[in-house]
Amino acid sequence: MREMAPVRPFNRRKVLVLSASWFASGGLLAGCSPQAPTFKSTDITGAAFAQDLKLTDHTGQVRTMADFRGKAVVVFFGFTQCPDVCPTSMTTLAEVKRLMGDQGKQLQVLFITVDPERDTLPLLKEYMTNFDPSFLALRPEPTELKAVADSFKIYYRKAEGSTPTSYTMDHSAGKYVFDTNGAVRLFSSYGTEPAVIAEDILALLKSMDA
């Protein structure tokens, strides 16, 4: 599997505006805006991913990012016949949810298949049960896959096998984390420890409540 190079963080400039009359009175600075959280994952706040996401989940329901408002969302691209990277990543996310404790209820994991030709909805449903019953698999139609992958800057490629149905898929293996308003905020590389991802998501949730 090939992993997408981490997306470079966007430069953000904070401008602090003080009242001239207050400053002239000699008052000390108080009531600053809360400090932005520090993440260990790559901060990509400001990127415009998944703005028009509309895919069918493994229950047959059409989903958009608006369906998950109020939750942190982790999006991962993979396929059910992936031998190692995908099950490892999904197991990692199940552990992330466990580490979050009660706040794990505010986490929604979305698995988007890059192999819609073989990954039927029943197969995707069965695959999700191996990890967590709350996780959802989304299936683009084969004709939709490129547009969906492009909208996330995701790489994928079919690697032919010895028979027409024994091919595998090379694909990006990172995870995107969205905040409770549906805006993408973080990119987590493949192999990142569950505790690190959990810590970042908890920090993100805390910052949204501030």
Side-chain angles (χ1 to χ4, degrees):
M1 302 296 171
R2 298 184 185 178
E3 182 181 355
M4 185 179 73
V7 182
R8 294 188 177 183
F10 287 78
N11 291 323
R12 290 172 293 165
R13 183 176 299 171
K14 293 184 176 180
V15 180
L16 181 64
V17 180
L18 297 175
S19 166
S21 59
W22 184 90
F23 183 80
S25 69
L28 298 177
L29 180 63
C32 301
S33 299
Q35 184 176 0
T38 300
F39 302 111
K40 294 181 181 177
S41 301
T42 304
D43 190 336
I44 56 171
T45 299
F49 294 169
Q51 299 299 302
D52 301 311
L53 184 70
K54 187 177 182 181
L55 295 174
T56 302
D57 71 17
H58 66 249
T59 71
Q61 183 175 345
V62 176
R63 297 286 192 170
T64 68
M65 291 300 292
D67 293 330
F68 311 111
R69 290 292 172 91
K71 292 186 176 184
V73 178
V74 179
V75 176
F76 175 77
F77 283 76
F79 64 113
T80 63
Q81 296 190 46
C82 174
D84 42 33
V85 171
C86 300
T88 297
S89 295
M90 297 303 289
T91 299
T92 293
L93 291 174
E95 178 64 5
V96 167
K97 182 180 177 181
R98 187 191 71 79
L99 290 172
M100 290 176 63
D102 289 343
Q103 288 184 275
K105 297 175 183 178
Q106 290 181 266
L107 176 66
Q108 179 63 62
V109 172
L110 301 179
F111 175 96
I112 302 179
T113 180
V114 295
D115 187 16
E117 294 179 10
R118 292 183 298 188
D119 284 346
T120 62
L121 295 185
L123 182 57
L124 289 167
K125 182 178 181 179
E126 181 181 357
Y127 190 68
M128 289 296 100
T129 62
N130 294 319
F131 306 105
D132 187 279
S134 72
F135 291 1
L136 290 175
L138 304 180
R139 179 184 178 273
E141 292 295 333
T143 55
E144 297 176 306
L145 178 57
K146 184 179 185 304
V148 174
D150 287 350
S151 73
F152 281 89
K153 308 294 189 294
I154 286 291
Y155 165 87
Y156 72 95
R157 182 182 69 86
K158 181 186 288 188
E160 301 295 345
S162 57
T163 67
T165 59
S166 65
Y167 61 86
T168 188
M169 300 294 296
D170 293 336
H171 64 91
S172 303
K175 305 167 187 68
Y176 291 104
V177 181
F178 290 74
D179 66 24
T180 55
N181 291 327
V184 67
R185 299 292 300 276
L186 303 172
F187 176 82
S188 177
S189 301
Y190 174 70
T192 302
E193 291 295 323
V196 172
I197 301 173
E199 181 181 341
D200 277 349
I201 294 175
L202 289 171
L204 180 60
L205 289 172
K206 184 178 180 180
S207 73
M208 299 298 292
D209 290 336

